[in-house]
Amino acid sequence: MVKPHRAILERVGTRRAVLLDTPYGFQSNAEDISSRAVGYFAASVGREIEVLSWRRPPTDTLERERALTTLREAGWVFAGPGSPTYALRQWRDTAVPDLIAGKLRDGGVVCFASAAALTLGSHAIPVYEIYKAGIEPHWVPGLDVVSSLFGVPVVIIPHYDNAEGGHHDTRFCYLGEGRLTAMEAELSDETLILGVDEHTAVVFDLAAGTASVLGNGHFTIRRRGESTVHRSGSVVGIATLASGGSAAVPSAVAPADEVLPDDPVPESSLKAAADALELRFAAALARRDVDGCVATILDLEQIMVDWAADTNISDEGEQARGVLRSMVVRLGELAAAGARDPRDVLEPYVSLLLDLRAKARTDRDFATSDKIRDSLSAAGIEVRDTPTGPDWSLQP
């Protein structure tokens, strides 16, 4: 899948690319899995990615907000093998599902495979519990972040053509036909099952309204036991997949570098205002404009106060609060980078000049030696010659 990964990541440009480790976070070798995934993307795909660890919801406030900020900033989020039910337990009742769904609204990329892909639909298969532990076949509630794209409930089943069982039917993510048929009867009549074969990707381009099948296998649309199969290389209109159901195609948000400080803040909703201010903050942060960052934070805080009396804003207050906390975290990171000990910053430059001074003294070029010392003194750096060599300090 190297070529599809490369093509998808090219769309992200310079935005952050993160690996979300939750699905396999319960495994004792989780660190090794993350390391191998990072190595694969660096060596084979040619893209550096970072690991966003959310094996369990962080209990430390700063750690949690840093993780959510990373997820919010990411233009590409990848999650893969593991346990879908474990991932759902760690994500449910947190901001993670909303941030994942936000990627689809805001022109980002959600690249989920295997266990992670199972979580995206209205229902998910508890694979380990059914196939390994012998629990009766049943569904568990999924994140349901894709159903709105089709206008009907959607269930995603990866490993659709699995054949590990040999004569034993392990298709449909280890369910087999009998179990899938029984479980399908529990779904509403309009529910679509999207089956993705192994070594296969389906790329949903929401702006273009298309679904492209890539790789070695097929993409299957199943409803009430009736299936339509699309071969690799097929391009299908998303709106046609639900047999007449409409698909919402969100508009992309302008990149941060296109947002000007004096762009008007939308007043149609608190969310719209928070989104616009977040883009303004990102632009100021990229310019290292601390005053601009602080002004944007204060603007958002004031807008939140202005909207606080409105009882009809649903959960937008929490969304705006999350944006505000993210801004504070990011500004704090910038401040930390700018608050380094000046001696640490100057060390390599001063050391180089002291080496040149030592060489000049060895060559008995005292004029150059004195000039270097005088220049350092004029810059506020005091040089002292000691038995062990020169030492220096910043003058108050």
Side-chain angles (χ1 to χ4, degrees):
M1 306 305 294
V2 169
K3 289 183 179 179
H5 278 306
R6 284 177 179 167
I8 292 169
L9 281 163
E10 284 177 0
R11 302 186 182 193
V12 180
T14 59
R15 295 178 67 185
R16 297 176 81 169
V18 302
L19 162 68
L20 190 55
D21 68 357
T22 314
Y24 57 84
F26 65 97
Q27 297 183 208
S28 60
N29 65 336
E31 290 283 354
D32 181 57
I33 296 173
S34 294
S35 178
R36 285 188 281 121
V38 170
Y40 164 79
F41 280 99
S44 299
V45 183
R47 178 63 182 259
E48 298 292 335
I49 67 171
E50 55 187 298
V51 178
L52 170 56
S53 188
W54 191 284
R55 299 180 191 177
R56 288 184 174 85
T59 56
D60 179 77
T61 300
L62 181 57
E63 181 185 356
R64 181 177 64 253
E65 293 303 326
R66 279 177 173 165
L68 292 174
T69 295
T70 298
L71 184 58
R72 186 176 288 109
E73 289 181 344
W76 177 93
V77 178
F78 176 85
S83 166
T85 48
Y86 178 83
L88 287 168
R89 287 198 302 273
Q90 311 316 314
W91 291 337
R92 205 173 297 284
D93 299 323
T94 74
V96 172
D98 287 340
L99 291 177
I100 291 173
K103 301 299 166 194
L104 303 180
R105 293 192 303 268
D106 300 338
V109 173
V110 176
C111 187
F112 275 23
S114 195
L118 282 162
T119 69
L120 293 175
S122 61
H123 298 74
I125 301 169
V127 180
Y128 280 80
E129 293 84 343
I130 296 173
Y131 187 61
K132 296 292 186 181
I135 304 298
E136 287 299 311
H138 65 285
W139 299 103
V140 296
L143 300 180
D144 200 20
V145 298
V146 296
S147 295
S148 62
L149 307 177
F150 297 86
V152 295
V154 169
V155 170
I156 297 177
I157 301 182
H159 303 285
Y160 204 70
D161 63 340
N162 181 271
E164 291 180 21
H167 296 297
H168 171 60
D169 187 3
T170 54
R171 292 174 298 160
F172 320 129
C173 203
Y174 303 93
L175 285 179
E177 179 62 45
R179 287 174 178 154
L180 178 59
T181 298
M183 292 175 64
E184 190 176 19
E186 300 175 8
L187 301 173
S188 61
D189 289 341
E190 70 269 27
T191 300
L192 286 180
I193 291 176
L194 308 184
V196 183
D197 287 354
E198 296 179 342
H199 306 292
T200 307
V202 181
V203 179
F204 294 95
D205 186 329
L206 304 186
T210 59
S212 302
V213 187
L214 309 174
N216 297 339
H218 302 87
F219 172 44
T220 301
I221 312 297
R222 173 168 170 153
R223 174 182 276 158
R224 287 299 174 193
E226 299 293 328
S227 297
T228 302
V229 178
H230 301 279
R231 298 178 178 275
S232 178
S234 301
V235 179
V236 189
I238 294 176
T240 68
L241 296 180
S243 299
S246 61
V249 180
S251 58
V253 173
D257 57 6
E258 295 180 7
V259 179
L260 300 177
D262 57 353
D263 280 351
V265 177
E267 299 180 357
S268 57
S269 71
L270 178 56
K271 181 183 182 304
D275 289 345
L277 286 170
E278 184 173 25
L279 291 174
R280 181 181 296 177
F281 178 86
L285 195 70
R287 298 192 304 271
R288 304 183 72 83
D289 177 5
V290 175
D291 287 346
C293 289
V294 172
T296 303
I297 290 174
L298 294 176
D299 285 346
L300 178 56
E301 190 273 340
Q302 183 59 54
I303 287 176
M304 291 172 65
V305 170
D306 294 342
W307 279 79
D310 191 336
T311 59
N312 297 314
I313 60 172
S314 67
D315 60 350
E316 290 187 1
E318 283 301 310
Q319 187 267 346
R321 182 169 175 265
V323 172
L324 180 66
R325 291 166 72 91
S326 172
M327 288 179 180
V328 173
V329 169
R330 292 152 69 186
L331 185 58
E333 291 173 349
L334 176 63
R340 293 170 56 193
D341 187 339
R343 185 180 173 92
D344 293 338
V345 177
L346 295 172
E347 174 70 38
Y349 306 103
V350 175
S351 295
L352 176 61
L353 289 171
L354 291 179
D355 288 342
L356 293 173
R357 177 173 175 264
K359 184 177 186 308
R361 297 182 69 182
T362 299
D363 296 339
R364 306 186 66 80
D365 183 1
F366 297 112
T368 298
S369 172
D370 292 343
K371 183 175 181 180
I372 292 174
R373 179 168 184 157
D374 292 344
S375 296
L376 288 171
S377 179
I381 298 170
E382 180 182 0
V383 178
R384 297 180 300 277
D385 292 311
T386 71
T388 58
D391 191 17
W392 64 277
S393 61
L394 292 173
Q395 298 173 357

